[in-house]
């Protein structure tokens, strides 16, 4: 019976590691940390485990006084790692015990290679960074690498749900680089950026837009040798609630100016502040990886990949790499020895197989309506399927008739929303573009342009026109696609019943061509706009 020791085993990530490992029969799982009471409490929670369970008090700062005995492998899930040295890993090597940690600190993970020679001499495997980065991030890039002859740019990041568990160690790890300078590769040169700055928003499928900012990770050192054609590499992290993310962005400035020397000392206070907002937001988190380069024919190629975690399962993502590695060590399929950062030790498919029973799903770069409708998509008329199933960008041309309402208020609303002008036989051109899990539709009615953005979030399809956002459900039949209006928001505020329009929006096929019919009526003021027409691929 192999003994697996998890230090920090009752923490946010350690608990989930133990939940997964305890399903392996014929091992002894030792849950450890400074509090044996908390460890024993988790043992009791896992009473249906398929393995033998025990609890033990261990302080990683005093690891030399711990009898490792016949431990097969030790998982160090006790962060933050920027405050640690390699004493735990060195003690494991000395005792012939395999070592794995979940570090995402740049210097810590990169420096683990200093133990490589002694680990090989003891026939021990030492792995640092068995977490979202660099373990999963490298697995994703490796998965898509065969599509590329050269990888030139990586844009990737993570964003947890606000209702996801967070420990003081995680908060301290984030704060350790907030406002601090670090180097990353931009346009072929190493350039200085600052933690939690470069504020912007990224669009995720199913969960919508999230604020993102610079984040310092081990990949920024490790990937340049792994992907030698890489010229730009940017990694971001984001919080779901804008008030928390932007608040941390404000904090990054006094840290950058050295007014606050050690922001990580505020971890306990800021974690408590964040818990005041816990009821807000959701338990949905995500990860994105965008890759640019050249395909095998040396033509420009871009691809996007997303991972979405629901129902609070986000923390299983950084917890899973260590579980996969333990299983490989146990079954003998992982024979490597030495001390290495966690890259190339499992595939993306192996990761997805391990989390297949959780609420974690991957989304590849696919059209919005294909992703949103899933199996219902094939029920649509062929012309409707063809229009929505485009690769990156597409342009359609046709004709349409537009009728605008005569009521002065309707005229004002139409002007505010930049609705198409009145007229018959308008030459119509529509340009579709996919980017960041959303679609951008630019319609040209003659010389007038009407733009909207569509995305899915929480099972709802949204369309934004200027300051107005419409929320839809979609009905599907073999005759047509129908958008059913659920709610209207202006500047993010739901409008009252008086201003909520009646909308008819249908897409169908006639004589092999895509046809569209849209009518919008305001409850009191009457017709706002009506247009119908046809489109075919340019």
């Amino acid at each position: 019976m192999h003994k697996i020791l998890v230090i920090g085993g009752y923490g946010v990530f350690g608990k989930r590691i133990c939940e997964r490992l305890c399903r392996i029969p014929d091992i002894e799982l030792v849950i450890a940390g400074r509090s044996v009471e908390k460890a024993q409490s988790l043992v009791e929670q896992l009473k249906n485990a398929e393995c033998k369970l025990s609890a033990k008090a261990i302080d990683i700062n005093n690891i030399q006084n711990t009898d490792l005995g016949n431990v097969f492998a030790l998982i160090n899930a006790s962060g933050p790692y920027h405050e640690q040295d390699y004493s735990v890993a060195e003690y494991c090597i000395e005792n012939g015990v395999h070592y794995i940690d979940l570090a995402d600190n740049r210097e810590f993970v990169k420096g683990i290679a200093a133990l490589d020679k002694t680990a090989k001499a003891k026939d021990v495997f030492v792995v640092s960074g068995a977490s979202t980065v660099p373990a999963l991030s490298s697995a994703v890039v490796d998965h898509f690498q065969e599509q590329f002859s050269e990888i030139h740019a990586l844009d990737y990041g993570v964003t947890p749900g606000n209702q996801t568990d967070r420990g003081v160690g995680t908060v301290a790890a984030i704060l350790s680089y907030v406002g601090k300078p670090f180097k990353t590769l931009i346009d072929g040169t190493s350039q200085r950026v600052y933690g939690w700055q470069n504020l912007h928003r990224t669009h995720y499928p199913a969960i919508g837009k999230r604020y993102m900012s610079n984040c310092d990770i081990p990949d920024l050192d490790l990937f340049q040798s792994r992907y030698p054609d890489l010229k730009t590499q940017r990694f971001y992290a984001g919080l779901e609630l804008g008030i928390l993310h932007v608040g941390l962005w404000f904090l990054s400035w006094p840290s950058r100016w050295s007014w606050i020397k050690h922001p990580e000392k505020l971890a306990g206070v800021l974690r408590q502040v964040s818990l005041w907002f816990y009821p807000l937001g959701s338990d949905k988190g995500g990860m994105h990886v965008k890759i640019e380069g050249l395909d095998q024919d040396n033509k420009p190629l871009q691809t996007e990949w997303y991972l979405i975690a629901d129902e609070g399962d986000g923390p299983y993502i950084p917890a899973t790499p260590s579980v996969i590695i333990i299983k490989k060590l146990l079954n003998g399929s992982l024979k490597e020895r030495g001390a290495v950062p966690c890259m190339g030790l499992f595939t993306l498919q192996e990761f997805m197989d391990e989390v297949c029973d959780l609420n974690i799903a991957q989304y590849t770069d696919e059209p919005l309506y294909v992703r949103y409708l899933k199996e219902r998509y094939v029920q649509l008329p062929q012309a409707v399927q063809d229009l929505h199933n485009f690769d990156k960008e597409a342009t359609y041309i046709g004709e349409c008739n537009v009728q605008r309402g005569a009521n002065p208020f309707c005229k004002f609303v139409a002007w505010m929303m930049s609705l198409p002008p009145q007229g018959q036989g308008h030459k119509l051109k529509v340009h579709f573009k996919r980017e960041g899990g959303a679609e951008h539709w630019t319609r040209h009615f003659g010389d007038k342009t009407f733009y909207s953005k569509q995305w899915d979030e929480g099972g709802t399809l949204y369309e934004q026109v200027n300051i107005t956002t419409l929320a839809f459900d979609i009905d599907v039949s073999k005759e047509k696609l129908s958008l059913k209006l659920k709610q209207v928001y202006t500047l993010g505020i739901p409008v009252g019943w008086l201003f909520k329009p009646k909308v008819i929006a249908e897409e169908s096929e006639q004589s092999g061509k895509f046809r569209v019919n849209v009518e919008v009526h305001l409850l009191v003021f009457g017709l706002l706009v009506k247009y119908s027409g046809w489109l075919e691929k340019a």
Side-chain angles (χ1 to χ4, degrees):
M1 181 176 291
H2 288 95
K3 182 184 290 188
I4 311 297
L5 174 64
V6 183
I7 301 179
Y10 48 79
V12 172
F13 304 122
K15 176 182 178 181
R16 286 158 174 87
I17 292 171
C18 293
E19 288 176 1
R20 308 298 285 182
L21 290 178
C22 76
R23 303 185 302 177
I24 304 174
D26 301 325
I27 68 167
E28 179 182 352
L29 179 61
V30 182
I31 302 173
R34 282 177 291 186
S35 171
V36 71
E37 291 80 10
K38 291 180 179 179
Q40 184 59 43
S41 176
L42 182 56
V43 167
E44 293 168 2
Q45 293 176 41
L46 302 176
K47 58 184 177 182
N48 295 323
E50 298 181 44
C51 68
K52 180 180 178 182
L53 287 173
S54 60
K56 189 171 185 177
I58 295 179
D59 184 351
I60 60 169
N61 296 315
N62 195 23
I63 190 68
Q64 287 78 10
N65 291 330
T66 301
D67 180 10
L68 293 181
N70 61 341
V71 170
F72 173 74
L74 181 150
I75 299 176
N76 178 7
S78 182
Y81 298 90
H82 69 277
E83 297 178 350
Q84 297 184 29
D85 56 22
Y86 298 119
S87 58
V88 179
E90 291 169 338
Y91 193 59
C92 285
I93 294 172
E94 181 183 334
N95 287 272
V97 175
H98 299 303
Y99 168 90
I100 305 167
D101 67 47
L102 280 65
D104 58 6
N105 178 266
R106 186 170 180 169
E107 296 301 322
F108 189 94
V109 177
K110 178 184 177 182
I112 201 71
L115 305 181
D116 185 61
K117 185 176 180 180
T118 54
K120 285 178 177 176
K122 285 285 190 173
D123 196 34
V124 167
F125 196 33
V126 173
V127 182
S128 184
S131 186
T132 308
V133 291
L136 179 56
S137 56
S138 61
V140 174
V141 180
D142 288 349
H143 177 80
F144 290 102
Q145 189 172 19
E146 65 181 17
Q147 299 178 15
F148 292 82
S149 62
E150 296 181 4
I151 292 177
H152 292 164
L154 295 175
D155 177 307
Y156 58 124
V158 295
T159 172
N162 187 59
Q163 294 180 5
T164 302
D165 288 345
R166 61 187 75 95
V168 174
T170 300
V171 177
I174 294 172
L175 291 172
S176 68
Y177 63 80
V178 166
K180 304 300 183 183
F182 60 88
K183 294 291 186 70
T184 190
L185 190 65
I186 302 175
D187 297 329
T189 62
S190 181
Q191 298 186 23
R192 177 183 292 180
V193 296
Y194 292 86
W196 218 260
Q197 299 199 341
N198 189 19
L199 183 69
H200 65 283
R201 300 184 83 177
T202 293
H203 217 296
Y204 284 81
I207 63 175
K209 293 176 284 188
R210 297 283 177 93
Y211 278 107
M212 308 293 284
S213 294
N214 293 335
C215 182
D216 192 15
I217 57 168
D219 305 31
L220 302 180
D221 281 327
L222 302 173
F223 276 20
Q224 294 176 38
S225 58
R226 189 170 183 84
Y227 311 108
D229 299 307
L230 195 60
K231 295 178 174 61
T232 297
Q233 184 180 5
R234 288 189 174 276
F235 183 85
Y236 307 104
L239 305 179
E240 179 181 10
L241 296 186
I243 188 172
L244 295 181
H245 187 103
V246 175
L248 202 54
W249 174 78
F250 274 113
L251 180 65
S252 72
W253 290 99
S255 177
R256 176 175 175 173
W257 298 328
S258 298
W259 296 357
I260 301 176
K261 298 290 187 182
H262 300 286
E264 62 270 22
K265 293 183 178 180
L266 302 173
V269 174
L270 293 182
R271 177 182 178 272
Q272 188 59 47
V273 170
S274 74
L275 293 178
W276 297 345
F277 297 87
Y278 189 84
L280 305 178
S282 72
D283 55 8
K284 298 176 175 63
M287 176 180 180
H288 78 273
V289 179
K290 300 178 183 179
I291 309 173
E292 295 181 15
L294 300 177
D295 65 13
Q296 297 300 334
D297 296 322
N298 290 323
K299 295 179 180 179
L301 177 63
Q302 299 179 4
T303 192
E304 299 176 7
W305 174 91
Y306 300 88
L307 193 68
I308 305 299
D310 202 348
E311 298 186 16
D313 282 351
Y316 286 100
I317 295 173
T320 296
S322 61
V323 175
I324 297 174
I325 293 169
I326 287 292
K327 288 183 175 181
K328 287 191 165 192
L329 287 170
L330 288 171
N331 65 29
S333 62
L334 184 56
K335 301 183 183 300
E336 186 173 347
R337 296 297 183 263
V340 297
C342 191
M343 297 187 298
L345 300 182
F346 59 86
T347 66
L348 177 59
Q349 188 58 55
E350 287 175 322
F351 178 88
M352 296 309 303
D353 289 343
E354 183 62 36
V355 299
C356 66
D357 60 321
L358 299 170
N359 294 291
I360 297 175
Q362 62 177 332
Y363 295 79
T364 53
D365 185 17
E366 59 183 349
L368 171 62
Y369 282 68
V370 175
R371 182 180 71 235
Y372 180 80
L373 293 174
K374 299 178 182 176
E375 66 276 358
R376 293 193 295 159
Y377 188 79
V378 296
Q379 301 172 24
L380 292 168
Q382 190 60 49
V384 179
Q385 291 188 46
D386 291 343
L387 180 133
H388 289 291
N389 192 10
F390 60 91
D391 183 21
K392 293 294 185 183
E393 297 186 49
T395 300
Y396 278 72
I397 58 174
E399 290 186 356
C400 74
N401 301 320
V402 180
Q403 180 182 350
R404 292 260 289 256
N407 182 279
F409 180 76
C410 291
K411 289 182 177 181
F412 171 75
V413 173
W415 173 77
M416 285 287 294
M417 297 182 66
S418 303
L419 295 179
Q422 174 104 8
Q424 300 292 309
H426 279 301
K427 294 297 182 183
L428 177 62
K429 182 171 75 171
V430 185
H431 181 73
F432 303 91
K433 181 179 180 180
R434 294 206 323 265
E435 186 176 31
E439 290 186 359
H440 304 264
W441 293 25
T442 305
R443 307 162 182 86
H444 300 274
F445 297 87
D447 60 351
K448 301 294 184 181
T449 299
F450 175 57
Y451 167 80
S452 70
K453 177 181 178 181
Q454 297 187 7
W455 70 93
D456 62 319
E457 183 176 344
T460 298
L461 184 80
Y462 291 89
E463 182 167 23
Q464 182 179 356
V465 182
N466 286 343
I467 62 172
T468 302
T469 301
L470 300 93
F472 294 100
D473 281 331
I474 297 182
D475 285 347
V476 168
S477 72
K478 62 181 181 180
E479 288 82 25
K480 61 186 177 182
L481 178 153
S482 300
L483 295 172
K484 304 297 184 182
L485 184 66
K486 296 171 62 176
Q487 184 55 277
V488 178
Y489 304 86
T490 299
L491 296 174
I493 302 173
V495 304
W497 63 270
L498 181 63
F499 299 105
K500 183 178 178 181
K502 176 184 177 182
V503 176
I504 299 172
E506 298 174 342
E507 300 175 356
S508 60
E509 179 179 346
Q510 184 176 337
S511 302
K513 291 182 179 179
F514 173 89
R515 296 199 65 87
V516 60
N517 179 61
V518 176
E519 293 185 35
V520 183
H521 297 263
L522 299 182
L523 184 62
V524 174
F525 304 99
L527 177 68
L528 178 62
V529 68
K530 175 181 179 179
Y531 66 89
S532 61
W534 58 269
L535 288 169
E536 62 184 5
K537 195 164 187 180

